[in-house]
Amino acid sequence: MKIRRREELDISIVMPCLNEEGTVGSCVDEAYGMIRRCGLSGEVIVVDNGSEDGSFRSAEAHGARVISEGRRGYGRALRTGFMESRGRVVIMADCDTTYDLRYVAGMYKLLDRGRFDMIIGDRFAGGIERGAMPLSHKIGARMLSLAARLRFHTRVRDFHCGLRGFTREALEAMTLRTTGMEFATELIAEGVKRKLRIGQLPVKLRRCEVKRHSKLRTLRDGMRHLKYIIR
């Protein structure tokens, strides 16, 4: 994956965003708080993926570097954010408050010390708060993760966790093409293909702080993952 060369920072936290006005600001604050506590130089990049609310203004008001990506898709937004990032370590996270960004500190240490090239959050080990995920998504995530583990010959347990980290070299080594939710599976498949050292970190999935509609569509997005695994 080609990443533009700029002045380097310790860490970039990249968040795709679609209509998250109610939560994106607090997520940006939480991310910058973690960066300051760890004494790092860093940036928070919010990739606005065509929001129709005030997400762009809210993220900008809280100090994020906001990039517009009008072509819809989870993978598309993250790829744009990765290409614009300046960190030696790049973390991807959701901006809906479902992940405690204090986990980012542990991911950064494991990547910065050279133990791993990629760290994947594991919600099955860390726990899922009541009400954080519908039963259909829980079943689907476990079944698709099992299929992907067998297909790609890896020990990664949770193929769909939205909190994960990479070294810049790892991102540059991968060829990433997908644009939708299947991007989460492609990242791990490419990591295995490139023989990257993949670590896992237990993370807890929290219930979103505000009422919102999930962007995930069980059948549609499940089929996209399954098609990628089979292909």
Side-chain angles (χ1 to χ4, degrees):
M1 182 177 187
K2 190 175 181 181
I3 299 179
R4 298 174 189 175
R5 291 289 179 177
R6 298 180 184 84
E7 178 187 356
E8 199 167 68
L9 302 171
D10 292 325
I11 189 170
S12 295
I13 300 176
V14 178
M15 300 178 181
C17 179
L18 177 60
N19 297 327
E20 299 288 4
E21 181 182 11
T23 56
V24 65
S26 62
C27 289
V28 171
D29 290 344
E30 191 175 356
Y32 273 126
M34 188 284 304
I35 290 171
R36 285 193 297 271
R37 285 193 301 274
C38 293
L40 303 175
S41 62
E43 62 182 351
V44 179
I45 298 174
V46 171
V47 185
D48 187 81
N49 203 202
S51 295
E52 297 170 345
D53 61 3
S55 295
F56 190 107
R57 293 188 299 275
S58 180
E60 205 166 43
H62 285 261
R65 181 178 159 212
V66 186
I67 299 167
S68 290
E69 174 51 82
R71 296 168 295 178
R72 287 285 179 94
Y74 179 72
R76 180 83 71 183
L78 281 167
R79 282 165 51 196
T80 297
F82 291 166
M83 286 190 290
E84 294 290 335
S85 66
R86 295 179 290 166
R88 290 184 294 105
V89 166
V90 180
I91 305 290
M92 58 178 264
D94 295 337
C95 58
D96 58 3
T97 70
T98 52
Y99 292 106
D100 187 334
L101 296 183
R102 287 178 294 184
Y103 290 118
V104 170
M107 289 186 167
Y108 176 82
K109 288 177 184 177
L110 291 170
L111 293 164
D112 185 55
R113 292 173 182 175
R115 288 186 60 188
F116 298 102
D117 305 304
M118 181 189 301
I119 299 291
I120 308 296
D122 183 355
R123 298 166 298 175
F124 302 144
I128 298 173
E129 189 176 289
R130 187 174 182 180
M133 183 189 293
L135 180 61
S136 60
H137 292 183
K138 290 179 185 177
I139 295 170
R142 286 185 180 276
M143 289 179 64
L144 287 169
S145 291
L146 174 60
R149 267 199 309 279
L150 296 173
R151 172 69 176 83
F152 302 118
H153 308 289
T154 177
R155 294 182 179 179
V156 173
R157 282 165 48 88
D158 188 353
F159 266 70
H160 309 102
C161 182
L163 184 60
R164 39 182 93 182
F166 319 86
T167 62
R168 177 167 294 274
E169 291 75 19
L171 283 177
E172 291 178 342
M174 293 188 284
T175 302
L176 302 170
R177 297 189 176 92
T178 60
T179 60
M181 289 292 187
E182 72 277 15
F183 183 70
T185 297
E186 182 186 33
L187 280 169
I188 299 170
E190 271 291 300
V192 172
K193 181 179 178 181
R194 307 294 175 184
K195 294 182 169 50
L196 301 180
R197 296 166 298 164
I198 303 176
Q200 300 178 79
L201 183 72
V203 300
K204 186 172 184 177
L205 185 71
R206 304 185 298 198
R207 188 170 54 184
C208 181
E209 291 178 358
V210 301
K211 255 191 164 181
R212 58 189 284 277
H213 294 291
S214 173
K215 308 297 188 306
L216 186 66
R217 298 293 178 264
T218 306
L219 185 59
R220 180 198 66 186
D221 294 321
M223 287 304 297
R224 291 184 73 134
H225 281 286
L226 187 58
K227 285 179 182 178
Y228 181 85
I229 292 168
I230 294 169
R231 184 177 73 240

